[in-house]
Amino acid sequence: MYAIIESCGKQYKVAEGDVVFFEKLDAEEGKKVTFDKVILVSDEGKVQVGTPYVKGVKVEGKVVSHGKGKKIIVFKMKAKKNYRRTQGHRQPYTKVEITGIKTAAKKAEKVAEKVEA
């Protein structure tokens, strides 16, 4: 089972147990995060596509750590004009481990199991 979610203006393909690097999220290390902007869910060949998002589906994860990416060098130059500018940048990220994909069908099954028990 996998899902495509939208976060930080980008789309990510995630599955249970994956570790994904998102742009900086406002969550502390060890806390749970929930992504409810799910664009697509694929479960054993059954594909649900949202318009724009799939209703009743959430992706849950746990924040592992925060950090900065590798440094990139931004260099601007104009030939024959003696214009040169160098700037470095390190993009902050949040490392998230995906713990589960919750669908409406799974919630209904769990409720039915609790009623029977």
Side-chain angles (χ1 to χ4, degrees):
M1 173 180 235
Y2 71 90
I4 296 177
I5 61 173
E6 183 179 315
S7 178
C8 309
K10 297 180 182 178
Q11 295 177 1
Y12 299 90
K13 179 181 177 184
V14 297
E16 202 168 317
D18 285 354
V19 176
V20 185
F21 291 89
F22 292 98
E23 287 188 20
K24 182 92 171 155
L25 298 174
D26 293 330
E28 297 178 18
E29 291 184 19
K31 297 286 182 175
K32 290 186 178 184
V33 288
T34 304
F35 303 100
D36 53 357
K37 292 184 176 181
V38 179
I39 297 170
L40 180 139
V41 176
S42 175
D43 185 19
E44 299 173 4
K46 292 182 249 173
V47 178
Q48 289 180 303
V49 180
T51 55
Y53 304 115
V54 181
K55 293 180 182 176
V57 179
K58 292 184 179 182
V59 176
E60 295 179 346
K62 186 179 91 171
V63 176
V64 178
S65 66
H66 296 286
K68 288 185 177 181
K70 293 179 74 173
K71 180 175 265 192
I72 62 165
I73 303 297
V74 180
F75 183 72
K76 298 179 182 179
M77 183 187 121
K78 295 193 178 177
K80 302 175 192 167
K81 303 297 182 199
N82 198 23
Y83 174 81
R84 293 176 183 86
R85 299 290 181 267
T86 304
Q87 183 179 6
H89 177 74
R90 293 181 72 189
Q91 183 68 33
Y93 66 83
T94 301
K95 187 177 178 181
V96 177
E97 180 181 356
I98 304 300
T99 57
I101 300 172
K102 308 290 183 188
T103 62
K106 283 190 175 182
K107 288 179 185 177
E109 288 176 11
K110 287 183 180 179
V111 170
E113 287 177 7
K114 287 182 181 179
V115 171
E116 289 176 4

